[in-house]
Amino acid sequence: MKKRKIGMALSLVLAAGTLLGACGKSDNKDTDTSKGGDKEKAFSVAMVTDVGGVDDKSFNQSAWEGLQKFGADNGLKKGQGGFDYLQSTSDADYTTNLNSLARKGFDLVYGIGFLMHDAVDGIAKQQPKTNFAIIDDEVKQPNVASVLFKEQEAAFLAGVAAALTTKTNHIGFIGGMEIPVIERFEAGFLAGVQAAKPEVKVDVKYSGAFDKAELGQTIASTMYASGADVVFHAAGATGNGLFKEAGDLKKKDSAREIWAIGVDRDQNDMGPDVVLTSAIKRVDVAVVDIANKAKDGKFPGGETAIYGLQEDGVGLAPINAKAANKDAIDKAVKEWVEKIKSGNVKVPGTRDELKTFSAK
Amino acid sequence: MSKRLVNILTPIFAVILGIIFGTIIMLVSGYNPIEAFIALGQGAFGDVYQIGEVVRQVTPYILAGLAVAFAFRVGLFNIGVEGQFIVGWLAAVWVGVTFDLPAIIHLPLAILAAMIAGGLWAFVPGLLKARFRVHEVIVTIMMNYIALHTVNYIVNTKMNQGSSKTAKIHETASLRSEWLSDFTTGSSIHWGIIIAIICCFIMWFLLEKTTRGYELRAVGFNQDAAHYAGMNVNKNIILSMVISGCFAGIAGAMEGLGTFGYMAVQGGFTGVGFNGIAVALLGGNTALGVFFAALLFGILKIGALSMPLAGVPKELVDIIIALIVFFVASSYIIRIVLERFSKKEVK
């Protein structure tokens, strides 16, 4: 009986310890923020990643690189009052993260990815004094700037490059989740292949996730095994499995001609021997652009900015020098860029538009 | 030293050891552990908003923990809480979206639907175990995948309202309240925590105070003895799985009716069900223990979100959680140490 009481007392002391410790911390924090508020008037900016994380080698990383560049250009420091990021591990974290950053007094907070639509919408109402920006979706709020890309145009060029490279006339496409953004990639890519070489067959597979590299590798392995020799991914960190698989195959048999095409940023660093090119989506450009506008007091709240080839918001990375017909590809890509920029060719952005698409 | 005291002290020591080892890892990898823990503390208790978020995160953890713990007390490993959680979530949202009823009927109906869905999902492995002795671990793991992909399919094709998610549930089925949200300056806290606490009580009452609970526990201690004593082992196995699934289903309802108000296509497992295993383990499979363990996990998870602001990767918290689970699982060591101490005292 006595011992039980001691146990109770001990656990009470422990519990009290945690609670009191917590109080002390919160006091510190309060004084911190109030000081920060008075002293700092510099423009500060932060972003929330989706579940891919800040080092996903594509989408989120590109945004973070943009933010880092903006920070360096303006002499900001990483952290509160400068530039910073928070990562989300599940959908439930988006709201919490966005709100935390707004509360920390960041002037502009980015939600990276369409998955954050509802979270940005909700928090923008709650925090009318903070400016928000969402990438890849539209949120109609006076303090939210929306950023969309014409991914189909970059994917179209990737499709042209893939079609001109394949020897087996068999190409693969690995998508992340079946959402409008990835559908734009798919439609554009298929249109590009069709425009350059109509007889090429394209396998389209969706992994259902942006953060499952092992799944990406499995799909890539099946595609290569079934005869595809060029595979394009639009699947964020899932696509890292594609590069792993392509690299492994190349290591086993260096004579085998297989290629992978990256997405979002120039993913040449993922496998200099196997990455043919990348469909670049300059999330970093858009991030810096919006941040600069906001800093100058011209934040495009309530507006939707669309970045395409014309705006240098999307494009194709340099073709790998090891590709046999690099010159021919470069030439073809250049021609298509002109046609798209001049408006002669409208690249389809949905599967329905793809059905009626014909390249002349 | 009494057995009860050892049972209480073991998880506490596991947590302390986990934090100590986490600190060592931080020191070795060149991060400042004090800053990290301050950031963690601020992230979890910085202001009333953060506390609201912690409570929101704790709610499904409690229920998932109860689900695992309940099955465990009857000697079953329900690894399928994740799947039961997902089907419960969908069922709750489906009722929330489809029907137009007054709140007093709508909300309980949505929760009931989640319970039934979760219960049914757990009934299958329970039945297979009872009738054919198929191991429930394997069946439940596989059922997780079936749940994930079936639910994704349904959300994508049958209930899709654009951008791969369902419509918002009607206000009458929502657990959210303006008042709670305003009180915590706009956090996503909801009334689910009350339901979770009630479920803790139900679990305790069911297992400790009823004949049925006595039978269930007897089956957990020794199936043969229970059988010899004239208890229907098979019936109790199925029953325990179903009740466990009901808890998991309610956990899903918390996300569907509270946190989100809709269901989106899931790129992968949410992790709530798997964290439930850790919560149950840390909580010693008792209702009260699960409550405190869920609280700790919620604090760690929400607090960790703010850690990058202190320059510490939040993956470190995952390491600390893993270490805590490790030490609980190897509680044998802690028990031996504690027993040594108590023996010395006696001398």
Side-chain angles (χ1 to χ4, degrees):
Chain A
M1 197 54 206
K2 205 178 172 189
K3 269 171 193 159
R4 209 196 257 182
K5 271 186 190 151
I6 294 172
M8 281 293 278
L10 188 63
S11 44
L12 274 176
V13 168
L14 277 170
T18 4
L19 285 174
L20 291 176
C23 293
K25 276 164 204 158
S26 64
D27 285 351
N28 283 343
K29 189 228 148 198
D30 283 343
T31 47
D32 274 359
T33 39
S34 55
K35 261 189 227 153
D38 293 337
K39 216 167 37 183
E40 311 234 7
K41 283 277 178 273
F43 184 76
S44 61
V45 52
M47 61 176 257
V48 179
T49 77
D50 68 9
V51 290
V54 78
D55 48 1
D56 65 348
K57 309 272 187 270
S58 75
F59 188 62
N60 291 298
Q61 185 166 341
S62 180
W64 177 232
E65 282 167 3
L67 220 54
Q68 283 171 314
K69 183 173 172 296
F70 177 79
D73 290 351
N74 293 281
L76 298 177
K77 264 196 219 134
K78 184 177 178 300
Q80 208 167 328
F83 65 100
D84 214 335
Y85 72 90
L86 287 180
Q87 292 197 70
S88 313
T89 31
S90 81
D91 294 356
D93 297 340
Y94 300 149
T95 317
T96 318
N97 279 340
L98 288 167
N99 219 340
S100 302
L101 290 174
R103 283 162 172 277
K104 295 259 180 214
F106 284 98
D107 298 307
L108 171 61
V109 179
Y110 288 92
I112 309 298
F114 106 107
L115 291 169
M116 251 171 270
H117 176 275
D118 282 19
V120 171
D121 199 27
I123 300 299
K125 269 182 219 145
Q126 255 185 46
Q127 304 278 0
K129 282 187 198 140
T130 307
N131 284 331
F132 294 89
I134 182 158
I135 310 284
D136 273 357
D137 210 333
E138 281 184 277
V139 173
K140 293 275 174 227
Q141 297 271 357
N143 57 335
V144 182
S146 309
V147 176
L148 291 177
F149 290 89
K150 288 185 187 161
E151 289 88 355
Q152 64 269 36
E153 295 183 348
F156 183 91
L157 301 176
V160 171
L164 294 178
T165 305
T166 179
K167 299 233 166 82
T168 56
N169 278 355
H170 188 164
I171 293 174
F173 171 85
I174 304 176
M177 291 164 84
E178 289 200 62
I179 55 173
V181 184
I182 307 300
E183 192 182 342
R184 289 202 284 275
F185 272 113
E186 185 198 327
F189 185 70
L190 292 178
V193 172
Q194 192 190 323
K197 214 176 182 186
E199 68 270 25
V200 172
K201 179 185 150 210
V202 185
D203 264 349
V204 175
K205 286 257 161 60
Y206 277 83
S207 63
F210 289 112
D211 54 352
K212 299 262 177 306
E214 69 284 359
L215 208 57
Q217 188 171 359
T218 318
I219 298 175
S221 156
T222 326
M223 284 179 169
Y224 285 127
S226 67
D229 57 351
V230 184
V231 178
F232 172 50
H233 88 90
T238 300
N240 295 345
L242 163 66
F243 301 116
K244 170 102 178 34
E245 179 65 20
D248 286 356
L249 288 174
K250 194 84 180 174
K251 232 180 255 165
K252 256 186 242 159
D253 178 8
S254 58
R256 187 166 169 188
E257 290 210 27
I258 49 164
W259 295 102
I261 299 179
V263 78
D264 294 342
R265 46 185 276 288
D266 187 351
Q267 293 192 305
N268 188 266
D269 52 343
M270 299 299 294
D273 290 329
V274 291
V275 177
L276 178 66
T277 177
S278 303
I280 299 183
K281 173 166 159 184
R282 300 299 302 269
V283 180
D284 52 341
V285 169
V287 164
V288 172
D289 201 25
I290 302 267
N292 275 327
K293 281 183 188 157
K295 190 171 132 272
D296 301 339
K298 283 180 249 156
F299 178 72
E303 292 172 27
T304 303
I306 298 178
Y307 291 81
L309 264 183
Q310 193 67 50
E311 296 82 11
D312 281 329
V314 299
L316 198 67
I319 305 290
N320 194 320
K322 292 178 183 117
N325 52 345
K326 176 175 162 52
D327 295 340
I329 301 173
D330 277 338
K331 192 164 153 272
V333 166
K334 215 172 163 192
E335 277 170 23
W336 284 109
V337 168
E338 292 308 317
K339 281 187 201 166
I340 296 170
K341 275 192 179 172
S342 66
N344 284 339
V345 172
K346 193 179 170 293
V347 182
T350 62
R351 284 176 200 144
D352 288 339
E353 282 173 33
L354 177 66
K355 277 181 201 143
T356 54
F357 172 78
S358 70
K360 280 152 276 167
Chain B
M1 206 175 280
S2 75
K3 206 174 163 225
R4 197 191 165 96
L5 185 58
V6 172
N7 281 344
I8 294 174
L9 282 181
T10 310
I12 293 175
F13 276 119
V15 171
I16 294 171
L17 279 173
I19 290 171
I20 291 173
F21 274 80
T23 311
I24 293 172
I25 291 173
M26 280 187 230
L27 283 172
V28 169
S29 44
Y31 296 108
N32 183 343
I34 297 169
E35 271 180 22
F37 284 119
I38 289 176
L40 183 86
Q42 279 182 10
F45 310 105
D47 53 36
V48 65
Y49 166 78
Q50 312 281 14
I51 295 171
E53 289 296 319
V54 168
V55 171
R56 187 263 301 160
Q57 182 76 65
V58 165
T59 308
Y61 281 172
I62 292 177
L63 288 157
L66 288 179
V68 177
F70 194 92
F72 195 83
R73 290 289 285 274
V74 192
L76 297 165
F77 280 110
N78 184 3
I79 313 292
V81 171
E82 181 75 34
Q84 294 141 19
F85 169 84
I86 293 173
V87 295
W89 183 347
L90 180 74
V93 169
W94 179 73
V95 170
V97 169
T98 314
F99 297 100
D100 237 335
L101 298 163
I104 192 129
I105 306 171
H106 203 177
L107 182 58
L109 187 70
I111 295 172
L112 189 71
M115 267 175 77
I116 293 171
L120 276 178
W121 211 255
F123 171 75
V124 178
L127 183 72
L128 289 172
K129 169 84 175 182
R131 299 282 295 196
F132 307 110
R133 298 284 141 197
V134 182
H135 207 292
E136 76 280 2
V137 169
I138 296 163
V139 181
T140 49
I141 288 178
M142 293 306 145
M143 295 280 287
N144 282 343
Y145 287 97
I146 302 173
L148 175 67
H149 294 294
T150 312
V151 167
N152 274 350
Y153 171 79
I154 293 171
V155 172
N156 236 339
T157 55
K158 306 277 186 260
M159 299 173 69
N160 199 345
Q161 297 288 315
S163 44
S164 301
K165 58 178 168 251
T166 67
K168 278 245 168 201
I169 55 167
H170 295 300
E171 219 27 63
T172 45
S174 176
L175 280 167
R176 284 288 192 97
S177 89
E178 287 279 320
W179 181 80
L180 263 185
S181 188
D182 288 345
F183 181 66
T184 54
T185 57
S187 81
S188 47
I189 187 177
H190 52 81
W191 288 115
I193 188 69
I194 307 289
I195 296 173
I197 291 169
I198 293 172
C199 284
C200 279
F201 181 77
I202 291 176
M203 153 129 171
W204 169 80
F205 186 81
L206 204 62
L207 277 181
E208 310 291 341
K209 298 287 161 201
T210 64
T211 324
R212 173 63 66 193
Y214 183 79
E215 275 195 25
L216 288 167
R217 281 185 294 142
V219 172
F221 281 128
N222 188 333
Q223 287 195 2
D224 296 325
H227 184 68
Y228 190 68
M231 296 170 190
N232 188 339
V233 173
N234 286 349
K235 199 172 127 196
N236 281 316
I237 285 177
I238 297 178
L239 184 71
S240 75
M241 278 306 274
V242 170
I243 293 175
S244 168
C246 287
F247 281 133
I250 299 175
M254 298 301 110
E255 300 290 70
L257 306 177
T259 309
F260 289 98
Y262 59 85
M263 176 149 208
V265 168
Q266 304 289 314
F269 291 124
T270 60
V272 173
F274 300 123
N275 279 320
I277 299 173
V279 167
L281 193 65
L282 183 61
N285 298 308
T286 61
L288 197 64
V290 163
F291 177 80
F292 284 114
L295 200 60
L296 178 73
F297 273 56
I299 290 167
L300 287 175
K301 284 277 175 190
I302 295 293
L305 292 174
S306 295
M307 278 176 58
L309 292 176
V312 183
K314 74 187 175 61
E315 282 80 0
L316 272 168
V317 163
D318 288 333
I319 295 180
I320 292 177
I321 288 180
L323 284 167
I324 293 173
V325 174
F326 172 81
F327 284 116
V328 176
S330 53
S331 59
Y332 181 66
I333 306 166
I334 298 173
R335 268 166 216 272
I336 287 180
V337 174
L338 283 177
E339 267 157 32
R340 280 274 163 79
F341 270 112
S342 58
K343 266 182 201 154
K344 267 183 201 157
E345 269 171 34
V346 175
K347 272 175 195 170

